[in-house]
Amino acid sequence: MRLDRFWFRILCVLTVGVIAAASSAPALAQSNMDPETVLVTYHVKADQEQSLLKVLNQQWSALQRLDLVQKGQPHLLLRGTEEGKPVVFEVFTWITADTPDHAPAEIQALWKQMQNSVESRGGHPGIDIRTVTEVE
């Protein structure tokens, strides 16, 4: 049941991060100009975890430098296993919900690199992105 403990820890950490991120935004309907908190799951190929983590760190630095993410909001990068294979979770808040749709070429190039390190798994794409909000 090691996986169950892992998921419980992930849920606890994510809950704290999402609450902190969501508490700074009004509880109104999401518009494209409002911040957007995302939970990204990376289904990592067996031999690509270090490569992916390197690119994720490059991406985070670029996102901050380009002011594409909410300042002062949590950025969580977590690792675990799923079906015996590596999985990485990332939580952060875009400056607006529209931001990823208009990402600069530098960020898009990093996203292409990430695709080389992931695989579809369990009916989910290699990179699975979900918008998340605070549970009240």
Side-chain angles (χ1 to χ4, degrees):
M1 295 288 168
R2 180 180 171 116
L3 185 59
D4 290 345
R5 276 191 315 215
F6 168 77
W7 286 110
F8 178 76
R9 282 190 224 139
I10 292 292
L11 181 60
C12 289
V13 170
L14 293 177
T15 300
V16 170
V18 169
I19 289 170
S23 66
S24 68
L28 303 173
Q30 179 86 13
S31 82
N32 285 346
M33 297 311 292
D34 289 334
E36 177 183 55
T37 302
V38 292
L39 165 62
V40 186
T41 304
Y42 302 93
H43 301 281
V44 188
K45 293 177 184 174
D47 61 345
Q48 293 293 311
E49 185 175 7
Q50 290 308 312
S51 176
L52 178 66
L53 292 173
K54 180 180 176 184
V55 176
L56 287 174
N57 285 324
Q58 291 171 345
Q59 173 196 233
W60 183 246
S61 293
L63 291 174
Q64 290 178 302
R65 180 174 37 79
L66 297 168
D67 292 322
L68 300 177
V69 291
Q70 257 330 101
K71 289 184 173 137
Q73 295 302 311
H75 174 241
L76 300 171
L77 195 55
L78 308 157
R79 73 165 60 140
T81 59
E82 164 185 82
E83 300 172 9
K85 296 179 180 179
V87 62
V88 172
F89 301 94
E90 185 175 35
V91 178
F92 65 91
T93 302
W94 291 107
I95 196 80
T96 70
D98 228 15
T99 302
D101 296 330
H102 304 286
E106 176 182 356
I107 300 301
Q108 291 181 32
L110 292 168
W111 290 346
K112 286 181 184 179
Q113 289 180 41
M114 289 178 202
Q115 287 294 338
N116 295 328
S117 297
V118 299
E119 62 188 3
S120 297
R121 192 179 301 154
H124 298 282
I127 300 175
D128 191 8
I129 304 168
R130 297 171 190 236
T131 300
V132 293
T133 58
E134 176 182 6
V135 176
E136 296 182 23

